[in-house]
């Protein structure tokens, strides 16, 4: 019955949280590799967490990807989200416009009746361009807003999948392979030990900017992401991991 399956997931949540050293794991049933509605359920669970943990006027930095797009899709107004500002965590990462963090920020704001700010920077910056861009007053201001975020909500991808999706150049692909990159989050690539092996050259939130003060929610599911989620959590366990049964079982079986 319902009670039994609920307590079954609860047990899985506790085991997963212990295995990954996260404060809390929330598991929705199913495997999002197989059914897209599972991603929406993760989105729903994430929206609920955001409503519980945010307060009016807070700033929340959001990443891109299809999982975050599902979070945006499930967003709705709430008294705790009044005047909350949604900002993209990092600038251009080579994603299609529908799943860029700018798009996700504005959709979330629209659905939550909150506010948003956009970060307009091209993908694949040279060091020179990046350094002059961050001095532009508009960008500088936005970067300081991003650093004031109370909450960061982001996805995790498999390194190879993400590198291919971004049409990463052959040279970088080779180096990711040599360094055995397993996971990607915020434009950073990690090996299985959770060490950073590559970083995309864009502006915005740097992993070093994350302190214990920010509340970090990771949303990632599907059995195919088991290694990636495990690798990323070795780098920095999140406050809340929202995932699905498919990923949770596969992680515990690793
Ligand atoms: O490119 C943005 C991003 O958030 C990556 O950091 C992450 O690896 C990926 O999207 C996750 O995408 P998806 O939710 O589609 O698997």
């Amino acid at each position: 019955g319902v009670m039994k399956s609920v307590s079954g997931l609860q047990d899985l949540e506790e085991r997963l949280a212990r295995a990954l050293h996260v404060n809390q794991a929330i598991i929705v049933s199913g495997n999002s590799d197989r059914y897209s509605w599972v991603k929406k359920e993760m989105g729903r669970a994430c929206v609920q967490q955001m409503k519980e943990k945010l307060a009016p006027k807070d700033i929340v930095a959001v990443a891109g990807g299809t999982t975050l797009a599902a979070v945006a899709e499930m967003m709705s107004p709430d008294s705790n989200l009044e005047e909350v500002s949604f900002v993209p965590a990092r600038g251009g990462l080579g994603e299609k416009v529908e799943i860029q963090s700018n798009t996700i920020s504005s959709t979330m704001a629209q659905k939550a009746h909150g506010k948003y700010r956009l970060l307009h920077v091209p993908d694949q910056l040279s060091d020179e361009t990046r350094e002059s861009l961050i001095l532009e007053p508009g960008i500088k201001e936005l970067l300081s807003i991003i650093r004031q975020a109370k909450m960061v909500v982001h996805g995790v991808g498999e390194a190879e999948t993400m590198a291919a999706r971004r049409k990463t150049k052959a040279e970088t692909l080779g180096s990711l392979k040599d360094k055995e990159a397993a996971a990607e989050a915020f434009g950073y690539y990690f090996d299985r030990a959770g060490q950073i092996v590559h970083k995309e050259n864009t502006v915005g939130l740097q992993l070093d900017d994350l302190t214990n003060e920010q509340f970090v929610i990771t949303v990632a599911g599907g059995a195919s992401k088991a290694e990636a989620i495990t690798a990323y959590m070795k780098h920095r366990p999140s406050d809340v991991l929202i995932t699905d049964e498919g990923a949770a079982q596969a992680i515990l079986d690793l």
Side-chain angles (χ1 to χ4, degrees):
V2 172
M3 289 309 289
K4 198 170 160 206
S5 62
V6 166
S7 67
L9 279 186
Q10 220 170 52
D11 173 61
L12 199 58
E13 285 172 343
E14 280 161 21
R15 284 195 289 140
L16 187 65
R18 269 201 302 275
L20 297 177
H21 305 285
V22 297
N23 280 342
Q24 195 189 354
I26 296 172
I27 303 173
V28 305
S29 41
N31 177 358
S32 53
D33 286 341
R34 300 187 56 187
Y35 300 108
S36 57
W37 55 262
V38 179
K39 217 176 250 184
K40 288 192 190 167
E41 287 308 311
M42 288 194 285
R44 189 196 304 279
C46 185
V47 166
Q48 193 186 326
Q49 283 298 308
M50 292 171 81
K51 290 177 179 178
E52 277 175 29
K53 307 286 170 18
L54 285 166
K57 296 195 163 80
D58 277 351
I59 297 165
V60 46
V62 299
T66 60
T67 313
L68 265 291
V71 178
E73 197 182 330
M74 302 310 279
M75 185 54 77
S76 62
D78 188 88
S79 57
N80 278 353
L81 299 182
E82 272 168 31
E83 290 183 63
V84 160
S85 291
F86 296 85
V87 296
R90 288 192 85 196
L93 287 172
E95 296 276 31
K96 287 194 293 189
V97 73
E98 295 82 2
I99 59 169
Q100 281 173 13
S101 52
N102 269 336
T103 312
I104 288 165
S105 304
S106 73
T107 307
M108 282 190 186
Q110 209 168 6
K111 296 210 173 187
H113 299 169
K115 305 196 260 187
Y116 68 94
R117 295 285 300 266
L118 301 180
L119 184 55
H120 293 295
V121 292
D123 304 338
Q124 318 246 11
L125 303 173
S126 65
D127 286 335
E128 211 185 344
T129 311
R130 188 180 161 277
E131 268 147 42
S132 63
L133 263 177
I134 57 179
L135 297 175
E136 283 294 321
I139 296 196
K140 211 170 159 180
E141 190 204 351
L142 193 48
L143 294 179
S144 96
I145 294 175
I146 293 171
R147 276 194 292 270
Q148 288 163 43
K150 283 278 170 59
M151 177 186 278
V152 179
V153 187
H154 75 96
V156 175
E158 287 176 282
E160 236 176 277
T161 308
M162 289 313 300
R165 194 161 100 187
R166 290 177 175 152
K167 303 190 173 58
T168 305
K169 45 181 202 277
E171 190 193 331
T172 313
L173 283 182
S175 136
L176 287 173
K177 207 168 181 176
D178 291 344
K179 293 175 179 163
E180 300 185 345
E184 196 285 343
F186 310 106
Y188 289 80
Y189 287 85
F190 308 85
D191 64 16
R192 280 209 232 148
Q195 304 282 358
I196 297 173
V197 294
H198 176 71
K199 177 182 167 187
E200 298 283 323
N201 208 3
T202 188
V203 302
L205 198 89
Q206 310 296 310
L207 267 179
D208 299 338
D209 294 339
L210 286 182
T211 64
N212 289 333
E213 250 113 90
Q214 279 113 354
F215 194 86
V216 180
I217 302 182
T218 302
V219 205
S224 61
K225 286 191 186 180
E227 282 198 343
I229 296 169
T230 307
Y232 175 73
M233 290 303 167
K234 282 194 179 142
H235 182 81
R236 189 185 191 283
S238 302
D239 294 287
V240 178
L241 166 67
I242 297 169
T243 189
D244 59 23
E245 240 180 314
Q249 290 289 4
I251 290 168
L252 292 169
D253 287 346
L254 281 179

